[in-house]
PDB file of all heavy atoms in Angstrom:
ATOM      1  N   LEU A  52     181.701 356.771  91.352  1.00 46.00           N
ATOM      2  CA  LEU A  52     182.549 357.640  92.165  1.00 46.00           C
ATOM      3  C   LEU A  52     181.853 358.982  92.334  1.00 46.00           C
ATOM      4  O   LEU A  52     181.245 359.510  91.384  1.00 46.00           O
ATOM      5  CB  LEU A  52     183.946 357.846  91.545  1.00 46.00           C
ATOM      6  CG  LEU A  52     184.800 356.584  91.426  1.00 46.00           C
ATOM      7  CD1 LEU A  52     186.100 356.921  90.698  1.00 46.00           C
ATOM      8  CD2 LEU A  52     185.135 355.996  92.798  1.00 46.00           C
ATOM      9  N   SER A  56     183.665 364.693  95.636  1.00 42.00           N
ATOM     10  CA  SER A  56     184.447 364.407  96.819  1.00 42.00           C
ATOM     11  C   SER A  56     185.807 363.796  96.515  1.00 42.00           C
ATOM     12  O   SER A  56     186.520 363.419  97.414  1.00 42.00           O
ATOM     13  CB  SER A  56     183.656 363.440  97.731  1.00 42.00           C
ATOM     14  OG  SER A  56     183.443 362.197  97.057  1.00 42.00           O
ATOM     15  N   LEU A  57     186.112 363.699  95.243  1.00 41.00           N
ATOM     16  CA  LEU A  57     187.413 363.157  94.894  1.00 41.00           C
ATOM     17  C   LEU A  57     188.508 364.111  95.333  1.00 41.00           C
ATOM     18  O   LEU A  57     188.436 365.315  95.098  1.00 41.00           O
ATOM     19  CB  LEU A  57     187.511 362.926  93.382  1.00 41.00           C
ATOM     20  CG  LEU A  57     186.783 361.706  92.815  1.00 41.00           C
ATOM     21  CD1 LEU A  57     186.910 361.701  91.294  1.00 41.00           C
ATOM     22  CD2 LEU A  57     187.361 360.437  93.385  1.00 41.00           C
ATOM     23  N   THR A  58     189.527 363.544  95.925  1.00 42.00           N
ATOM     24  CA  THR A  58     190.673 364.376  96.299  1.00 42.00           C
ATOM     25  C   THR A  58     191.522 364.620  95.074  1.00 42.00           C
ATOM     26  O   THR A  58     191.415 363.978  94.034  1.00 42.00           O
ATOM     27  CB  THR A  58     191.517 363.640  97.359  1.00 42.00           C
ATOM     28  OG1 THR A  58     191.997 362.416  96.821  1.00 42.00           O
ATOM     29  CG2 THR A  58     190.660 363.329  98.609  1.00 42.00           C
ATOM     30  N   ASP A  59     192.435 365.573  95.230  1.00 46.00           N
ATOM     31  CA  ASP A  59     193.331 365.887  94.122  1.00 46.00           C
ATOM     32  C   ASP A  59     194.225 364.686  93.789  1.00 46.00           C
ATOM     33  O   ASP A  59     194.537 364.451  92.615  1.00 46.00           O
ATOM     34  CB  ASP A  59     194.188 367.112  94.472  1.00 46.00           C
ATOM     35  CG  ASP A  59     193.346 368.358  94.569  1.00 46.00           C
ATOM     36  OD1 ASP A  59     192.233 368.360  93.978  1.00 46.00           O
ATOM     37  OD2 ASP A  59     193.787 369.306  95.254  1.00 46.00           O
ATOM     38  N   ASP A  60     194.615 363.956  94.831  1.00 46.00           N
ATOM     39  CA  ASP A  60     195.491 362.789  94.597  1.00 46.00           C
ATOM     40  C   ASP A  60     194.768 361.742  93.775  1.00 46.00           C
ATOM     41  O   ASP A  60     195.328 361.147  92.854  1.00 46.00           O
ATOM     42  CB  ASP A  60     195.916 362.181  95.942  1.00 46.00           C
ATOM     43  CG  ASP A  60     196.855 363.119  96.685  1.00 46.00           C
ATOM     44  OD1 ASP A  60     197.465 363.977  96.001  1.00 46.00           O
ATOM     45  OD2 ASP A  60     196.986 362.971  97.919  1.00 46.00           O
ATOM     46  N   LEU A  61     193.485 361.508  94.125  1.00 44.00           N
ATOM     47  CA  LEU A  61     192.721 360.493  93.391  1.00 44.00           C
ATOM     48  C   LEU A  61     192.484 360.927  91.953  1.00 44.00           C
ATOM     49  O   LEU A  61     192.556 360.127  91.028  1.00 44.00           O
ATOM     50  CB  LEU A  61     191.389 360.218  94.102  1.00 44.00           C
ATOM     51  CG  LEU A  61     190.549 359.052  93.565  1.00 44.00           C
ATOM     52  CD1 LEU A  61     191.348 357.750  93.634  1.00 44.00           C
ATOM     53  CD2 LEU A  61     189.267 358.919  94.347  1.00 44.00           C
ATOM     54  N   SER A  62     192.183 362.194  91.773  1.00 50.00           N
ATOM     55  CA  SER A  62     191.954 362.697  90.416  1.00 50.00           C
ATOM     56  C   SER A  62     193.228 362.577  89.566  1.00 50.00           C
ATOM     57  O   SER A  62     193.187 362.175  88.407  1.00 50.00           O
ATOM     58  CB  SER A  62     191.486 364.156  90.457  1.00 50.00           C
ATOM     59  OG  SER A  62     190.291 364.252  91.156  1.00 50.00           O
ATOM     60  N   SER A  63     194.343 362.944  90.167  1.00 54.00           N
ATOM     61  CA  SER A  63     195.619 362.822  89.441  1.00 54.00           C
ATOM     62  C   SER A  63     195.956 361.380  89.130  1.00 54.00           C
ATOM     63  O   SER A  63     196.547 361.074  88.102  1.00 54.00           O
ATOM     64  CB  SER A  63     196.744 363.457  90.235  1.00 54.00           C
ATOM     65  OG  SER A  63     196.913 362.796  91.469  1.00 54.00           O
ATOM     66  N   LYS A  64     195.545 360.460  90.041  1.00 47.00           N
ATOM     67  CA  LYS A  64     195.802 359.049  89.807  1.00 47.00           C
ATOM     68  C   LYS A  64     195.028 358.555  88.587  1.00 47.00           C
ATOM     69  O   LYS A  64     195.544 357.837  87.737  1.00 47.00           O
ATOM     70  CB  LYS A  64     195.425 358.215  91.030  1.00 47.00           C
ATOM     71  CG  LYS A  64     195.745 356.725  90.893  1.00 47.00           C
ATOM     72  CD  LYS A  64     195.438 356.001  92.165  1.00 47.00           C
ATOM     73  CE  LYS A  64     195.717 354.505  92.042  1.00 47.00           C
ATOM     74  NZ  LYS A  64     197.118 354.214  91.765  1.00 47.00           N
ATOM     75  N   HIS A  65     193.744 358.942  88.494  1.00 49.00           N
ATOM     76  CA  HIS A  65     192.938 358.547  87.348  1.00 49.00           C
ATOM     77  C   HIS A  65     193.485 359.165  86.064  1.00 49.00           C
ATOM     78  O   HIS A  65     193.488 358.533  85.012  1.00 49.00           O
ATOM     79  CB  HIS A  65     191.480 358.951  87.541  1.00 49.00           C
ATOM     80  CG  HIS A  65     190.725 358.057  88.467  1.00 49.00           C
ATOM     81  ND1 HIS A  65     190.328 356.793  88.101  1.00 49.00           N
ATOM     82  CD2 HIS A  65     190.301 358.241  89.739  1.00 49.00           C
ATOM     83  CE1 HIS A  65     189.687 356.220  89.124  1.00 49.00           C
ATOM     84  NE2 HIS A  65     189.653 357.069  90.120  1.00 49.00           N
ATOM     85  N   LEU A  66     193.971 360.411  86.146  1.00 55.00           N
ATOM     86  CA  LEU A  66     194.558 361.034  84.973  1.00 55.00           C
ATOM     87  C   LEU A  66     195.826 360.296  84.565  1.00 55.00           C
ATOM     88  O   LEU A  66     196.078 360.085  83.348  1.00 55.00           O
ATOM     89  CB  LEU A  66     194.866 362.502  85.278  1.00 55.00           C
ATOM     90  CG  LEU A  66     195.482 363.306  84.126  1.00 55.00           C
ATOM     91  CD1 LEU A  66     194.531 363.342  82.941  1.00 55.00           C
ATOM     92  CD2 LEU A  66     195.830 364.718  84.621  1.00 55.00           C
TER      93      LEU A  66
END
Side-chain angles (χ1 to χ4, degrees):
L52 295 176
S56 62
L57 283 176
T58 62
D59 293 338
D60 292 339
L61 187 59
S62 299
S63 62
K64 182 176 180 61
H65 282 287
L66 181 61

